[in-house]
């Protein structure tokens, strides 16, 4: 039986006093590959930010489990549009930012950290772009660098918010194949948000669906991705 990494009980999340998800309970296990979908504004990104501790639950609990009772480490890949690296920074320097979660915000990364970040670029097939300015990269290349940055933190759970948003079909498939390979080769625990149902159908092991009424339905794809359930999720409020 897979080990639990995250457990939510009767969880309600939102911004301020506005709840977008009401009384949901679920677990995320080691090696999970979970795709989260739902209508625009349903609370997908809010749920990820609650996992990260950026937002406090309005009610209910989230429990995390990590070996040795240590703090559970997340690797977070936000939507690319939320990042604005206009200052001169290379792909390697972006990946190296992921090490601060391990070494501390005020410590200078050393040679070992740089080598580790370079290896993370290698895992995403971006090592040959290590010295390339981040802003000069294509959308798909930037996303690979951001995944490298998340991997550099040595996370126990990798969270990705719309990882293929705005990409063409070839780039979208390349990113999802990369995530699929990471999951298979390293038994990585991955939770990703997407508005593309076909991406969840093709790659995810399990599906989570946030309905227009603030419910979270989670289970096997065959249970969640049915016409009856999808109609319930996307009906007008």
């Amino acid at each position: 039986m897979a080990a639990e990494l995250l457990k939510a009980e009767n969880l309600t999340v939102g911004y301020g006093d506005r709840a977008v998800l009401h009384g949901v309970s679920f677990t995320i296990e080691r090696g999970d590959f979970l795709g989260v979908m739902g209508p625009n504004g349903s609370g997908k990104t809010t749920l990820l930010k609650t996992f990260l501790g950026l937002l406090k639950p309005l009610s209910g609990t989230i429990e995390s489990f990590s070996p040795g009772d240590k703090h559970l480490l997340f690797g977070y890949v936000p939507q690319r549009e939320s990042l604005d690296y206009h200052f001169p920074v290379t792909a390697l320097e972006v990946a190296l930012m992921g090490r601060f979660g391990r070494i501390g915000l005020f410590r200078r990364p050393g040679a070992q950290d740089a080598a580790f970040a370079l290896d993370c670029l290698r895992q995403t097939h971006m090592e040959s772009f290590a010295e390339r300015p981040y802003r000069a990269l294509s959308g798909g290349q930037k996303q690979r660098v951001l995944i490298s940055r998340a991997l550099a933190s040595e996370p126990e759970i990798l969270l990705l918010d719309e990882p293929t948003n705005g990409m063409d079909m070839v780039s979208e498939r390349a990113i999802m194949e990369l995530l699929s390979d990471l999951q298979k080769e390293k038994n990585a625990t991955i939770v990703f948000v997407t508005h593309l149902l076909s991406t969840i159908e093709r790659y995810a092991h399990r599906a989570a669906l946030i309905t227009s009424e603030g419910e979270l339905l989670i289970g096997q794809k065959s249970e969640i991705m049915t016409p009856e359930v999808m109609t319930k999720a996307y009906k007008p409020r």
Side-chain angles (χ1 to χ4, degrees):
M1 185 176 178
E4 288 183 352
L5 289 180
L6 206 64
K7 182 178 182 180
E9 291 190 352
N10 201 28
L11 183 68
T12 296
V13 302
Y15 287 93
D17 58 356
R18 177 178 176 266
V20 292
L21 273 173
H22 307 272
V24 300
S25 299
F26 58 90
T27 60
I28 295 174
E29 298 179 341
R30 190 175 303 280
D32 213 344
F33 196 3
L34 177 67
V36 183
M37 54 189 164
N40 289 337
S42 60
K44 300 184 294 295
T45 297
T46 303
L47 182 62
L48 293 190
K49 289 183 176 180
T50 304
F51 288 169
L52 292 164
L54 300 176
L55 293 173
K56 290 186 177 180
L58 299 181
S59 64
T61 60
I62 298 182
E63 245 186 310
S64 60
F65 306 91
S66 186
D69 293 325
K70 295 179 181 177
H71 183 65
L72 188 69
L73 287 174
F74 293 93
Y76 180 45
V77 182
Q79 295 185 33
R80 286 196 321 282
E81 293 80 1
S82 67
L83 299 173
D84 190 16
Y85 289 138
H86 285 305
F87 54 91
V89 62
T90 66
L92 178 58
E93 288 169 332
V94 172
L96 192 56
M97 292 175 188
R99 295 303 295 162
F100 287 111
R102 283 284 180 178
I103 66 175
L105 194 57
F106 301 105
R107 288 187 59 188
R108 186 180 181 86
Q112 287 185 331
D113 297 303
F116 192 90
L118 185 61
D119 185 62
C120 292
L121 287 174
R122 190 173 294 112
Q123 292 178 50
T124 62
H125 311 295
M126 286 297 292
E127 70 273 20
S128 62
F129 295 85
E131 300 305 323
R132 188 79 59 88
Y134 176 81
R135 62 187 177 189
L137 301 175
S138 69
Q141 290 168 341
K142 287 178 178 177
Q143 193 69 344
R144 287 174 180 268
V145 172
L146 294 178
I147 294 172
S148 300
R149 183 184 69 169
L151 293 175
S153 67
E154 301 177 75
E156 289 164 285
I157 300 182
L158 188 59
L159 303 176
L160 304 101
D161 194 355
E162 296 282 5
T164 64
N165 196 32
M167 292 185 185
D168 58 38
M169 191 175 297
V170 173
S171 298
E172 172 198 322
R173 184 161 186 171
I175 291 296
M176 292 311 302
E177 290 287 350
L178 168 64
L179 294 176
S180 182
D181 288 345
L182 286 170
Q183 198 284 323
K184 292 173 185 174
E185 294 169 9
K186 297 179 176 294
N187 195 35
T189 307
I190 299 174
V191 178
F192 69 96
V193 163
T194 183
H195 64 280
L196 299 173
L197 307 187
S198 59
T199 299
I200 292 180
E201 181 65 43
R202 181 187 293 260
Y203 295 102
H205 295 173
R206 294 198 302 152
L209 178 62
I210 300 176
T211 73
S212 57
E213 297 176 345
E215 298 176 276
L216 179 70
L217 309 175
I218 186 167
Q220 298 302 313
K221 291 183 290 185
S222 59
E223 301 169 339
I224 303 299
M225 301 183 75
T226 67
E228 295 79 15
V229 174
M230 300 304 288
T231 298
K232 179 181 180 181
Y234 287 91
K235 70 180 181 182
R237 290 180 185 268

